[in-house]
Amino acid sequence: MMRHGLFLLTFCAALMGCAVAPAQERRPIAWDGLGQNPNRSHVTKRRAASPAPAQDNPNQERERVLATLRPYSEAWWAVHDEIEAENDKQLGTKLVICPRCVQSPSSGEDVTGSIR
């Protein structure tokens, strides 16, 4: 029994040597997309201690002006519309729509908003 245990222990030790890969030879690991990617080195991101400059947020000055105006006055609405237009412009630069996702209407059909 002791001889079988020693043989099994030697055999397992030999297999362990084959299973351990050298540190220089790293192969990509299959990643399911959940959690952190094991194939990328962990890099810490540093955040700026000061707030973003005004040029990153062009609406910052407009919002200050908006706070000083009488709500719903003509000037208030003008500044409000400028803020909304800038927000729409920023959203338009970030929004990406796949051309295959949007179907263009065929030229032979009438186009309406109804499904029927």
Side-chain angles (χ1 to χ4, degrees):
M1 181 75 170
M2 195 68 154
R3 189 171 45 172
H4 292 299
L6 183 62
F7 175 75
L8 183 63
L9 183 64
T10 306
F11 182 72
C12 289
L15 286 179
M16 287 288 287
C18 295
V20 176
Q24 293 97 8
E25 184 182 332
R26 278 190 66 167
R27 296 182 183 158
I29 299 171
W31 181 48
D32 62 357
L34 303 173
Q36 294 181 352
N37 186 350
N39 298 315
R40 297 185 70 200
S41 62
H42 300 287
V43 179
T44 57
K45 295 181 181 177
R46 296 181 184 179
R47 295 184 183 203
S50 63
Q55 55 184 307
D56 287 345
N57 185 4
N59 284 336
Q60 188 175 11
E61 183 63 31
R62 291 182 184 128
E63 289 172 357
R64 275 193 227 130
V65 171
L66 188 67
T68 61
L69 297 173
R70 193 179 87 227
Y72 307 110
S73 66
E74 287 184 31
W76 187 91
W77 278 112
V79 174
H80 180 267
D81 290 343
E82 288 177 3
I83 292 172
E84 290 299 315
E86 182 63 34
N87 289 340
D88 290 344
K89 182 177 134 185
Q90 288 177 358
L91 181 63
T93 60
K94 294 176 186 177
L95 183 64
V96 178
I97 299 176
C98 172
R100 293 177 301 188
C101 298
V102 179
Q103 297 177 358
S104 61
S106 60
S107 59
E109 295 180 15
D110 292 335
V111 179
T112 62
S114 65
I115 302 173
R116 297 179 203 169

